[in-house]
């Protein structure tokens, strides 16, 4: 596992992350501590890596798709328990972060300026692609968070363009985080996914380290990668990486988390740009 070399100084441009967020409400399940120990540690390191609390986090989660890019505008978003089969108490957990309507408006302005259609949602709460990693990153919920949806159709180029439109936020003290999972085939999880996850992860980790033009070209053509559709039968957990890469610009990706035995044999990664 590699760790980013430096932290951000006050007033400097913030990095961009793509994180593997794990399954369901795992931070509230102590019986899963061993399985998630390395992922939890990598998420807990992020505030120190960034070097300061951002004024807000913009989170693009795999678990929200909408007809157009849609930004959450509630001042106090509720909770969306978008998982099944977990203990009853996990359907009452809370992550009481504040929203940021002003940031939602700023995101809308940036997207419209880039020629992208955008909607706002005053009602939608936080899904587990947001609240599970945020519980590990900021357990006191001290940083406001706004979620931004994927766009149905899951076109890689559209999400790269979305990230490019969001890039100015890095200079406005907003931390952009794409939240997915670098391997997401629930029919071949654990040991059955060992070979496919290893092959796809090797390709993905090499791709994000390329210069911008080559990196983006590879990500647009991600289905040509080894074991691509075995790793992602449906690509919603990969598309947040496209947003992060778009916002990264010329910044090269590096591992912020890398594990070869996740959930009994999967190779999974998270990346930091900048």
């Amino acid at each position: 596992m590699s760790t980013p070399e430096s932290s951000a100084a006050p007033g400097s441009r913030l990095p961009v992350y793509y994180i593997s967020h794990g399954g369901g409400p795992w931070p509230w399940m102590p019986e899963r501590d061993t399985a998630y120990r390395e992922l939890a540690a990598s998420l807990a390191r992020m505030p120190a890596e960034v070097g300061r609390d951002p004024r807000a986090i913009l989170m693009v989660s795999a678990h929200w798709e909408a007809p157009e890019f849609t930004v959450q505008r509630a001042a106090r978003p509720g909770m969306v328990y978008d998982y099944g089969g977990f203990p009853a108490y996990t359907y009452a957990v809370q992550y009481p972060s504040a929203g940021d309507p002003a940031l939602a408006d700023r995101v809308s302005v940036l997207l419209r300026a880039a020629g992208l259609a955008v909607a706002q949602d005053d009602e939608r709460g936080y899904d587990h692609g947001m609240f599970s990693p945020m519980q590990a990153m900021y357990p006191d919920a001290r940083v406001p968070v706004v979620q931004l949806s994927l766009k149905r159709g899951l076109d890689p180029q559209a999400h790269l363009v979305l990230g490019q439109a969001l890039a100015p936020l890095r200079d406005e003290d907003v931390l952009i985080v794409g939240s997915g999972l670098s391997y997401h085939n629930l029919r071949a999880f654990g040991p059955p996914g060992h070979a496919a996850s290893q092959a796809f992860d090797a390709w993905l980790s090499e791709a994000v380290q390329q210069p911008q033009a080559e990196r983006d070209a590879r990500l647009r053509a991600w289905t040509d990668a080894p074991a691509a559709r075995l790793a992602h039968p449906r690509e919603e957990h990969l598309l947040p990486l496209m947003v992060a890469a778009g916002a990264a610009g010329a910044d090269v990706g590096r591992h912020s988390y890398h594990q070869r035995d996740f959930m009994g044999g999967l190779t999974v990664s998270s990346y930091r740009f900048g």
Side-chain angles (χ1 to χ4, degrees), residues 16 160 163-164 208 212 215-216 219 240-251 273:
V16 183
L160 283 164
Q164 292 164 5
V208 301
Q212 180 181 2
R215 176 197 69 208
D216 292 356
L219 292 178
L241 174 60
M242 312 303 179
V243 183
D251 289 340
F273 301 84

Side-chain angles (χ1 to χ4, degrees), residues 100-216:
D100 189 335
L103 174 57
D105 290 343
R106 174 64 174 146
V107 169
S108 298
V109 167
L110 289 172
L111 267 59
R112 291 186 185 113
L116 299 174
V118 60
Q120 294 187 339
D121 190 323
D122 295 323
E123 302 295 329
R124 192 181 191 280
Y126 295 131
D127 61 58
H128 82 267
M130 177 277 187
F131 61 74
S132 288
M134 287 298 298
Q135 176 67 18
M137 292 159 58
Y138 294 97
D140 59 1
R142 66 181 183 266
V143 178
V145 183
V146 171
Q147 282 197 236
L148 176 63
S149 79
L150 302 175
K151 182 178 180 179
R152 288 179 191 161
L154 304 180
D155 176 62
Q157 175 62 14
H159 290 80
L160 283 164
V161 170
L162 170 64
Q164 292 164 5
L166 296 171
L169 295 175
R170 299 177 61 191
D171 295 312
E172 299 172 18
D173 210 26
V174 175
L175 184 65
I176 300 170
V177 179
S179 176
L181 196 58
S182 63
Y183 174 90
H184 194 258
N185 183 346
L186 298 183
R187 293 177 179 269
F189 220 65
H194 172 77
S197 68
Q198 190 174 60
F200 185 74
D201 187 271
W203 176 89
L204 192 64
S205 296
E206 181 182 0
V208 301
Q209 295 182 61
Q210 302 306 308
Q212 180 181 2
E214 176 65 18
R215 176 197 69 208
D216 292 356

